[in-house]
Amino acid sequence: MSEKEKKCNCGCEEHEHKCECGCEEHDCDCGCDEIVELTTEDGKKLKFYFIKTIEYKGKYYSAFEPAEEIDGIEEDDLIIFELSGDDEETADLLPVEDDALLDEVFDEFCRVMEEDELAEEAQSLEPDQD
């Protein structure tokens, strides 16, 4: 898969979305602006939520969750690809075919996500410094 394209079309009504003028006055924290459209080798376009890119053992991996119903993929499945290329925006996404490596990368994603959540929680507990 390749060709990532950012779109904001989750339809959530709980959050206000960034307006098109770029003023960033309206900001959405639900992650809906992280929907990407991935194109398969046969040209089919599929929508995913971009979760995160991490480095593991000298390579970069990106994780996605389906943003629409996709045959053979459960709604809460985490799909992991290896990035091939120098630029995250134009890199090809390669499937991780080694099951042991895939398990390692998944564990690393879980560890990184947990660290991020703990850091955000700790930051929210810090008093504001005016």
Side-chain angles (χ1 to χ4, degrees):
M1 292 189 172
S2 61
E3 295 184 35
K4 298 188 291 183
E5 182 180 316
K6 277 192 169 186
K7 293 189 176 188
C8 185
N9 59 355
C10 76
C12 73
E13 296 178 16
E14 294 182 33
H15 311 281
E16 290 186 26
H17 297 278
K18 290 181 186 175
C19 62
E20 294 297 318
C21 72
C23 71
E24 297 187 25
E25 184 177 321
H26 311 286
D27 209 359
C28 178
D29 292 330
C30 74
C32 61
D33 60 341
E34 295 297 323
I35 291 179
V36 293
E37 193 170 79
L38 304 179
T39 305
T40 64
E41 290 176 355
D42 62 356
K44 186 175 181 182
K45 294 182 184 277
L46 304 172
K47 293 180 183 175
F48 290 88
Y49 294 106
F50 170 73
I51 305 299
K52 189 170 199 62
T53 296
I54 64 166
E55 182 179 5
Y56 182 71
K57 292 187 175 181
K59 295 184 179 182
Y60 290 92
Y61 298 89
S62 290
F64 301 87
E65 286 183 349
E68 62 185 358
E69 190 173 316
I70 300 171
D71 288 339
I73 300 176
E74 295 295 321
E75 178 180 316
D76 58 351
D77 280 354
L78 188 68
I79 311 300
I80 298 173
F81 294 103
E82 178 185 339
L83 292 178
S84 173
D86 296 332
D87 180 16
E88 186 176 345
E89 291 295 316
T90 59
D92 285 332
L93 302 173
L94 307 174
V96 180
E97 296 181 9
D98 180 334
D99 288 340
L101 176 61
L102 186 59
D103 288 342
E104 289 177 26
V105 173
F106 176 77
D107 290 343
E108 181 67 7
F109 265 105
C110 291
R111 186 191 68 73
V112 169
M113 296 298 286
E114 187 174 319
E115 278 183 6
D116 288 351
E117 287 177 22
L118 291 174
E120 287 177 15
E121 186 177 323
Q123 188 176 20
S124 72
L125 298 175
E126 293 177 7
D128 288 336
Q129 309 249 338
D130 291 326

